Amino acid sequence: MSWQSIVDGGMVGTDMIDQGAAFNPAARCMAATTGFKVTRVEYDDIYKTFTDQGPMWKVGITLGGVKYVGVSATPRLIHCRAGTRGLVAFRAKGCMCLATYKPPIAAPSAIFIMEALADDINNDVYHITVKVEDELLAKT
C-alpha cells in the first residue's frame, strides 16, 4: 500500500477528515490531498510541539494561513482548533501525519480516526517502510 492510499483511504476516505498529509522523518511530504500545502516552517512548528507544547499553548499553531489554538498535546498526538475547524497531528513509526476537519465532523471522530491510523502504522498493518536515507537525513 502506498502513502497516498493511506491518506486517501485511511484519512479522507473515512469522511471524518477534510484534508491530510503524511511526512517522512526528513520532513518530505510523501502524500497529501490535493491542494493541502504545509510549509517547512509549519511542519517544524508542529513537529516540535510533540516534545515542547509551550509555544502551542502561548501562540497556537498556524497551518495554511489558519491559526489554531491548542486543545491537547501528548508526545504522540496534537489537537488544535480554529472555531469549528480543527487540526490533528500524530507521530508514528517513520512518519508524521496531519489532518484537518470541519463541520459537520466533530473533534472526537477526527481524533479517533487519526489515533486508529497511528496504531495501524505502528503495528505494520499497511506494511509501509521509510527509506533509510530519509531517516538519516532527519538526524542531521
Side-chain angles (χ1 to χ4, degrees):
M1 181 173 272
S2 70
W3 283 105
Q4 193 64 53
S5 296
I6 292 171
V7 169
D8 292 343
M11 285 187 207
V12 180
T14 66
D15 293 328
M16 297 295 135
I17 301 298
D18 181 44
Q19 294 183 306
F23 296 86
N24 68 12
R28 188 174 308 135
C29 184
M30 299 181 290
T33 54
T34 303
F36 189 55
K37 304 282 188 224
V38 179
T39 68
R40 180 60 191 248
V41 171
E42 291 170 338
Y43 171 91
D44 289 342
D45 288 346
I46 294 167
Y47 194 82
K48 289 175 190 173
T49 301
F50 289 109
T51 56
D52 179 13
Q53 292 89 27
M56 179 188 77
W57 299 123
K58 290 178 187 172
V59 297
I61 292 175
T62 300
L63 180 64
V66 177
K67 186 171 187 171
Y68 293 86
V69 176
V71 176
S72 64
T74 68
R76 174 184 151 147
L77 188 91
I78 298 168
H79 175 225
C80 301
R81 296 206 46 170
T84 58
R85 301 177 60 88
L87 162 69
V88 182
F90 70 76
R91 280 194 314 183
K93 184 170 42 175
C95 70
M96 179 181 81
C97 292
L98 307 173
T100 60
Y101 64 90
K102 64 182 181 183
I105 301 163
S109 298
I111 292 167
F112 175 81
I113 292 300
M114 294 297 280
E115 285 180 327
L117 186 57
D119 288 342
D120 287 350
I121 290 169
N122 284 334
N123 292 321
D124 289 327
V125 169
Y126 297 110
H127 306 290
I128 296 290
T129 58
V130 176
K131 295 177 186 175
V132 173
E133 60 267 20
D134 290 339
E135 291 181 14
L136 293 173
L137 283 172
K139 294 177 184 177
T140 59

